[in-house]
Amino acid sequence: MPSNFALKTMNTAHRVLLKATCGRLGNEFGGMPSVELVTTGRKSGRQHAVLLTAPIVDGDTYVVVASRGGDPQHPAWFLNLRDNPNVLVSVRSGPRVPMTARIADAAERAELWPRVTTAQKVYAGYQKKTTREIPLVLLTPTADPASN
């Protein structure tokens, strides 16, 4: 399973790649858009940003996978958004947009998981490595109260 150090190193390398190439490389991996997810720390209250990929994009909804490489523990970003679903999301190095994170319920996951693993077989391998059910998170734009 990937260590915290390895995960942080991969995120740092991803950011360096994006910066060094002015976004020409690193905004997409395996056909999936890169997504920067900013959560609020459940303990610290500070903002934390992590780079992920979205194997499913439905309109303005992005589905991300809380796999942590098949680790038995949920990723910290997932625990943060579980406690506070108000997040910021940047897609392909675009502007950060307020979004709401929602964990897929059992029926949604049953419909989405086969799509995720068809699009990216690596996630099926991650699920086989762990006994926990890997959660799927739907990121949707936050409704603008001024437009209601």
Side-chain angles (χ1 to χ4, degrees):
M1 302 307 138
S3 67
N4 283 338
F5 176 77
L7 292 169
K8 288 179 182 182
T9 300
M10 286 188 301
N11 247 277
T12 299
H14 189 172
R15 289 182 190 285
V16 167
L17 178 67
L18 284 167
K19 187 172 185 168
T21 66
C22 297
R24 287 187 307 278
L25 297 175
N27 276 323
E28 206 167 284
F29 285 98
M32 298 180 289
S34 69
V35 175
E36 179 189 48
L37 174 67
V38 181
T39 61
T40 301
R42 64 195 180 285
K43 295 176 185 172
S44 69
R46 293 191 321 249
Q47 288 192 327
H48 300 278
V50 62
L51 289 167
L52 306 169
T53 53
I56 298 176
V57 180
D58 279 332
D60 57 3
T61 298
Y62 295 85
V63 178
V64 293
V65 183
S67 65
R68 201 172 193 273
D71 194 82
Q73 297 179 27
H74 292 305
W77 62 262
F78 174 79
L79 300 174
N80 289 342
L81 66 77
R82 183 185 66 189
D83 288 2
N84 181 352
N86 300 311
V87 298
L88 295 173
V89 176
S90 167
V91 178
R92 293 184 177 99
S93 300
R96 288 181 174 175
V97 177
M99 289 197 171
T100 302
R102 186 174 59 75
I103 301 165
D105 63 29
E108 289 170 317
R109 188 182 185 286
E111 186 269 322
L112 292 169
W113 187 253
R115 292 177 56 197
V116 167
T117 57
T118 297
Q120 297 295 325
K121 296 190 185 332
V122 68
Y123 291 115
Y126 292 161
Q127 184 61 77
K128 288 179 184 173
K129 289 182 184 180
T130 185
T131 56
R132 73 177 171 94
E133 182 176 79
I134 294 176
L136 300 179
V137 176
L138 290 80
L139 305 170
T140 56
T142 303
D144 181 4
S147 66
N148 292 337

